[in-house]
Amino acid sequence: MNPEPIKLPFLGILVMLFGAVINFIVSKIVHKTAKETKSMAMKSNALHLLTDVYTSLGVAISLFLCKSHWVVCFRSDYWNCASHLYHY
């Protein structure tokens, strides 16, 4: 494997946060309409959009952690690792 440094991580963070906000707003609108129409399909779509919000936030947090140089120990002996989080 040849890892490459992440280029423009702050732009990625901004895009993920923007997408999370838009998906959250759309999710609330769809959920409100689902309640009014008693549509299970729309309620399901609103929940799907909400999971997209959580995914976008997770990516934004991951990019932030990469940019701030925090690394998670992903070794096979994870539980025996002296420090699960360390700063280099």
Side-chain angles (χ1 to χ4, degrees), residues 60-82:
I61 290 168
S62 298
L63 285 171
F64 174 77
L65 290 175
C66 287
K67 182 59 183 166
S68 64
H69 301 293
W70 280 90
V71 179
V72 177
C73 181
F74 284 114
R75 296 179 6 187
S76 60
D77 60 341
Y78 178 79
W79 296 110
N80 296 327
C81 190

Side-chain angles (χ1 to χ4, degrees), residues 30-31 33-46:
V30 171
H31 185 60
T33 306
K35 278 185 173 181
E36 292 170 356
T37 61
K38 297 180 182 171
S39 169
M40 189 61 72
M42 289 185 77
K43 184 176 181 182
S44 146
N45 191 24

Side-chain angles (χ1 to χ4, degrees), residues 9-63:
F10 289 117
L11 178 61
I13 292 169
L14 289 176
V15 168
M16 288 293 106
L17 292 177
F18 179 74
V21 169
I22 296 300
N23 277 337
F24 182 77
I25 292 168
V26 173
S27 171
K28 291 301 173 186
I29 292 169
V30 171
H31 185 60
K32 180 182 176 204
T33 306
K35 278 185 173 181
E36 292 170 356
T37 61
K38 297 180 182 171
S39 169
M40 189 61 72
M42 289 185 77
K43 184 176 181 182
S44 146
N45 191 24
L47 291 173
H48 175 85
L49 286 168
L50 201 54
T51 61
D52 288 345
V53 170
Y54 297 137
T55 302
S56 295
L57 291 176
V59 171
I61 290 168
S62 298
L63 285 171

